[in-house]
Amino acid sequence: MQTRGRIFDDLGQLMTNAVGVAQGAREEAEAAMKGWVDRWLADRDFVTREEFDAVQAMARKAREENEALRARIESLEASVDRKT
C-alpha cells in the first residue's frame, strides 16, 4: 500500500513539474513573439495613435481656417466688384 501511494505522489509531482515547464515555455514564447512584433512594427515607421490623432486635429483645423479664409476672400471680392 505504501508503495502505491508513493507512486501516485511521484506521478503527481511529475505532472505538476510538467505543467510548470509548459507554462514557462509558453511565457518565454510569448515574450519572444512580442519582442519580434515590436521590432517588426518599429522597422515599419508606423505612427502611434496619439500622433495620428494630433495630425488629424491639425488637418481639421487647417481645413476650417481655409474655409473661413475662402469665405472672407469671396466677401472681399464681392465688395470690390460692387465698387467697380
Side-chain angles (χ1 to χ4, degrees), residues 12 20 83:
K83 290 182 182 179

Side-chain angles (χ1 to χ4, degrees), residues 16-84:
T16 300
N17 290 343
V19 169
V21 168
Q23 186 170 358
R26 181 185 60 88
E27 290 170 357
E28 190 173 326
E30 284 177 355
M33 182 59 110
K34 184 180 181 320
W36 180 83
V37 169
D38 288 345
R39 284 190 304 278
W40 185 84
L41 289 173
D43 290 344
R44 300 299 172 276
D45 289 332
F46 289 127
V47 298
T48 63
R49 184 66 187 178
E50 292 80 19
E51 292 170 325
F52 176 82
D53 289 342
V55 171
Q56 188 178 36
M58 289 171 34
R60 186 178 304 118
K61 183 178 178 186
R63 279 192 301 272
E64 291 169 357
E65 290 173 353
N66 284 343
E67 291 171 9
L69 289 172
R70 181 178 295 125
R72 184 172 175 203
I73 289 171
E74 289 172 357
S75 171
L76 290 172
E77 286 175 343
S79 147
V80 168
D81 286 344
R82 281 189 300 241
K83 290 182 182 179
T84 55

